[in-house]
Amino acid sequence: LASVALISSMSAAYAADLTVNISIKDHKFYPSNITVPAGQRLKFVVTNLDKTPEEFESDQMKFEKIVSGGGRITVFAGPLSPGRYNFFGEFTLCSAQGYVTAK
């Protein structure tokens, strides 16, 4: 019974996550500036429309994951305190940059 309650509470927590969809095209993130409510746990769904792999990374939000060419990943972060958090693609730092602002 305890494990059923734990699974139920975990499902409820994941259902409350705010989904943020991001695409990678021409080695850039779209959208690259995202505003979310502070205190909210985020679920990033990143789709790479390029043929080459890219990395979806943030030191501040504590994730790092490779998105294969034509692939899709899911990454969780937060809940975030108010502020501005960067994310980037380490493979093309000159163009793959973005920010999440939590208000």
Side-chain angles (χ1 to χ4, degrees), residues 26-95:
D26 300 324
H27 309 290
K28 296 179 183 174
F29 292 110
Y30 295 97
S32 60
N33 291 297
I34 302 159
T35 302
V36 298
Q40 179 73 49
R41 184 172 146 97
L42 304 175
K43 175 184 173 183
F44 292 100
V45 178
V46 183
T47 303
N48 188 352
L49 303 175
D50 291 336
K51 293 181 181 181
T52 57
E54 185 55 85
E55 193 166 43
F56 183 57
E57 182 174 350
S58 175
D59 297 329
Q60 297 169 319
M61 292 185 280
K62 298 180 176 41
F63 57 75
E64 178 179 7
K65 199 159 184 183
I66 293 175
V67 191
S68 62
R72 177 178 291 168
I73 61 162
T74 300
V75 176
F76 293 91
L80 301 178
S81 298
R84 190 171 190 218
Y85 302 83
N86 75 316
F87 58 88
F88 55 93
E90 192 169 359
F91 297 159
T92 50
L93 279 172
C94 60
S95 61

